[in-house]
Amino acid sequence: MSLLTPVEVQPAAEVGPVHFIAIGGSGMNGIARLYAKLGVPVSGSDRSESATLDALREAGITCYAGHEASQLGDARTVVISSAIREDNPELAEARRRGLRVWHRSAALAALMLGKRGVSIAGTHGKTTTTAMTAVMLHEAGADPSYVIGGKLATTKASSDLGSGDAFVIEADESDGSFLQYPTQIAIITSLEPDHLVNWGTPEAYTEGYHTFATLPSVAWVIINVDDPGSRELADRLRAEGRQVIRYGFSEDADVRVTDARPTGNGIAGILTYGQDSGPLELRVPGDHNLSNASAAYAAGRLLGLGHREAVAALQRFEGTLRRFQLITDTAGIRVYDDYAHHPTEIRAALSAARHATVAGNEATGLEGRLIACFQPHLYSRTADFYEEFGDVMTLADVAVINDVCGDREDPVPGVTGQLVVDAARRHGAREVHYVVDKYDLPAALNQIARPGDLIITLGCGDVTIVGPLLAPLLAQRPEAQVS
């Protein structure tokens, strides 16, 4: 995989029929749904059957399990992700026929034409901030279009095509996709070097964000000044005369959060923007979510919402799946799942989990522990950050490490979960276990956990299977049988 070069796009309604290769992917199925909603004939394939394919079929989309050239049918446009290799039989056939081949970012950009594009980028925090912005606009009656990298907890949807003029998207920087979109309002939640297998150097990665923030279509940049990397970029943009709204807990933030305090399963604080100030109470935990909400609020104000209107709408946000998502509360043991896969994201997730653990102990009188079950994602990222992963595991009372989920990458000799285990021990982690096979994780966690504990599974790979497999094991424990 390498960085993408933006391409010229045509309106989405004019490019069909469209065939999506790897249509079941989190970045693909939401876009495919919107093409179908436009009335464009849509088909797609994925490597195996899944609940996602079943749901797409119910939406009227023709889906295939497996990849064969004949499945292209009469497609005029073929959409791929960065994970699709040139030897894929469907892509090879599309090339042979001379069909239009778009990366999914181009397919999404085509949907955005004629709308006010709000693109949320950042090394971490972009999914939740995108979801908050979309929900805020929806709850305020603005009926936005949106595409999110995760599903909303309330509707289980990751995309919608609204009648309003705002189109809110999660803009992926990993392969340069964020440079493709017709963005009017750019949000940058954080800027820490990542995806260096594509960008090459931290300097190139940072410069990519500057290019994103200064695209000709961008009128405003909303940027987090609590994060050192994005603060530096904010200062640079302001010096260049760009229109910048700074947000966060910092004293010089334009949209500022103060007086943060946990509230059960949520977080509350005071939100101030100019002469407007008042309480904001969220239904999701963690200081980082107050920060995310302040970014969404800033976008809402630029799009015409009033202070009270924006705050009231944000307070109805109930989260996204795989972002501190409660899987089960059984036998006195709570199990959460979180998509965090970068050291800073994991630190934020474990901080929120620690607050929840302490609150649970105060409520029950138990001495519950925080158990982190982490699956490193990608060999390249593990090689780059294993020391940082080991360090952040010290925030948990017990760390359970799985082997690397390679996904689109080929294995790299010597790069395994053991690197993280060894780093965690070097950094002083209290208790560390290495469980190589993900299917052994549920039994291992069941053996380790005791009443009062909070378990959180972490990673953007397939570690998400662990919580649902652990739940029935917890239900068999004697503590679960007490009525």
Side-chain angles (χ1 to χ4, degrees):
M1 186 170 65
S2 58
L3 294 178
L4 300 168
T5 300
V7 299
E8 185 176 351
V9 297
Q10 297 80 45
E14 300 173 6
V15 301
V18 182
H19 182 82
F20 289 77
I21 304 177
I23 195 170
S26 61
M28 295 282 268
N29 73 83
I31 299 171
R33 287 177 182 276
L34 297 194
Y35 272 82
K37 192 169 183 178
L38 272 178
V40 175
V42 175
S43 62
S45 61
D46 212 352
R47 58 187 174 186
S48 59
E49 290 288 358
S50 66
T52 299
L53 292 194
D54 290 339
L56 289 169
R57 291 182 181 115
E58 290 179 9
I61 296 172
T62 302
C63 293
Y64 304 95
H67 302 291
E68 295 182 13
S70 62
Q71 293 169 179
L72 290 182
D74 60 353
R76 290 194 292 127
T77 300
V78 173
V79 179
I80 62 173
S81 73
S82 296
I84 303 304
R85 302 186 181 190
E86 286 295 323
D87 61 359
N88 178 284
E90 293 173 11
L91 177 56
E93 176 66 7
R95 302 283 194 208
R96 188 190 69 78
R97 290 194 207 173
L99 302 180
R100 181 189 295 110
V101 177
W102 273 352
H103 184 265
R104 63 176 174 78
S105 58
L108 177 51
L111 288 164
M112 296 171 69
L113 294 177
K115 298 279 191 175
R116 297 185 68 184
V118 182
S119 299
I120 293 93
T123 312
H124 34 262
K126 53 184 174 284
T127 297
T128 299
T129 305
T130 306
M132 283 182 171
T133 305
V135 169
M136 173 192 66
L137 293 170
H138 174 77
E139 293 293 330
D143 196 21
S145 300
Y146 61 85
V147 174
I148 309 167
K151 296 180 180 180
L152 296 173
T154 48
T155 64
K156 307 299 187 291
S158 63
S159 66
D160 196 13
L161 206 58
S163 60
D165 65 352
F167 204 124
V168 182
I169 66 159
E170 179 177 342
D172 180 20
E173 88 285 1
S174 67
D175 53 10
S177 289
F178 63 172
L179 303 181
Q180 175 69 68
Y181 305 120
T183 301
Q184 288 190 24
I185 298 173
I187 298 178
I188 299 174
T189 62
S190 55
L191 203 171
E192 290 187 64
D194 196 5
H195 307 292
L196 299 185
V197 68
N198 290 330
W199 288 95
T201 66
E203 293 76 16
Y205 183 82
T206 298
E207 198 59 31
Y209 273 90
H210 181 264
T211 302
F212 166 67
T214 57
L215 289 169
S217 58
V218 172
W220 284 92
V221 182
I222 300 168
I223 193 162
N224 180 7
V225 288
D226 295 332
D227 173 80
S230 52
R231 169 178 278 278
E232 186 175 337
L233 178 58
D235 292 342
R236 179 181 174 186
L237 293 170
R238 294 182 77 207
E240 293 170 351
R242 304 285 175 175
Q243 301 217 75
V244 176
I245 295 178
R246 301 163 299 179
Y247 73 88
F249 291 86
S250 299
E251 290 186 2
D252 60 348
D254 302 303
V255 179
R256 188 183 179 201
V257 181
T258 55
D259 303 322
R261 57 182 177 83
T263 57
N265 290 325
I267 190 80
I270 302 298
L271 182 67
T272 301
Y273 180 43
Q275 299 301 308
D276 295 317
S277 184
L280 171 63
E281 185 167 339
L282 299 176
R283 300 179 187 182
V284 289
D287 289 358
H288 62 290
N289 277 321
L290 277 178
S291 180
N292 293 336
S294 66
Y297 168 92
R301 295 301 301 270
L302 289 177
L303 291 167
L305 300 186
H307 171 78
R308 293 182 179 178
E309 189 179 20
V311 167
L314 282 167
Q315 292 181 157
R316 292 194 281 274
F317 176 71
E318 296 186 14
T320 58
L321 301 185
R322 297 225 61 212
R323 268 67 180 182
F324 210 78
Q325 179 189 356
L326 179 64
I327 303 301
T328 187
D329 184 351
T330 305
I333 298 167
R334 288 173 290 168
V335 180
Y336 289 85
D337 183 43
D338 198 280
Y339 191 76
H341 55 281
H342 182 280
T344 302
E345 295 171 350
I346 295 170
R347 187 174 298 277
L350 290 179
S351 176
R354 177 62 70 188
H355 281 304
T357 303
V358 171
N361 290 345
E362 290 174 349
T364 63
L366 298 172
E367 295 183 2
R369 302 165 300 167
L370 172 57
I371 301 174
C373 175
F374 172 52
Q375 181 192 62
H377 185 250
L378 301 182
Y379 299 102
S380 58
R381 183 182 287 120
T382 304
D384 287 338
F385 294 115
Y386 65 87
E387 283 293 345
E388 290 85 349
F389 286 139
D391 183 37
V392 79
M393 285 297 110
T394 64
L395 299 179
D397 299 304
V398 181
V400 180
I401 311 299
N402 187 216
D403 203 2
V404 179
C405 175
D407 268 354
R408 58 184 176 269
E409 295 184 345
D410 293 326
V412 175
V415 179
T416 70
Q418 187 68 50
L419 288 175
V420 180
V421 171
D422 293 343
R425 289 172 176 155
R426 280 195 300 274
H427 286 279
R430 286 165 251 186
E431 183 180 334
V432 185
H433 303 265
Y434 186 32
V435 180
V436 176
D437 191 328
K438 61 180 175 287
Y439 290 106
D440 291 334
L441 286 169
L445 290 167
N446 186 43
Q447 184 174 14
I448 293 167
R450 62 192 187 210
D453 287 349
L454 185 152
I455 299 171
I456 181 167
T457 56
L458 300 156
C460 64
D462 51 13
V463 71
T464 188
I465 68 172
V466 173
L469 293 174
L470 174 58
L473 300 180
L474 296 177
Q476 296 171 19
R477 294 167 68 121
E479 300 90 341
Q481 311 306 316
V482 178
S483 58

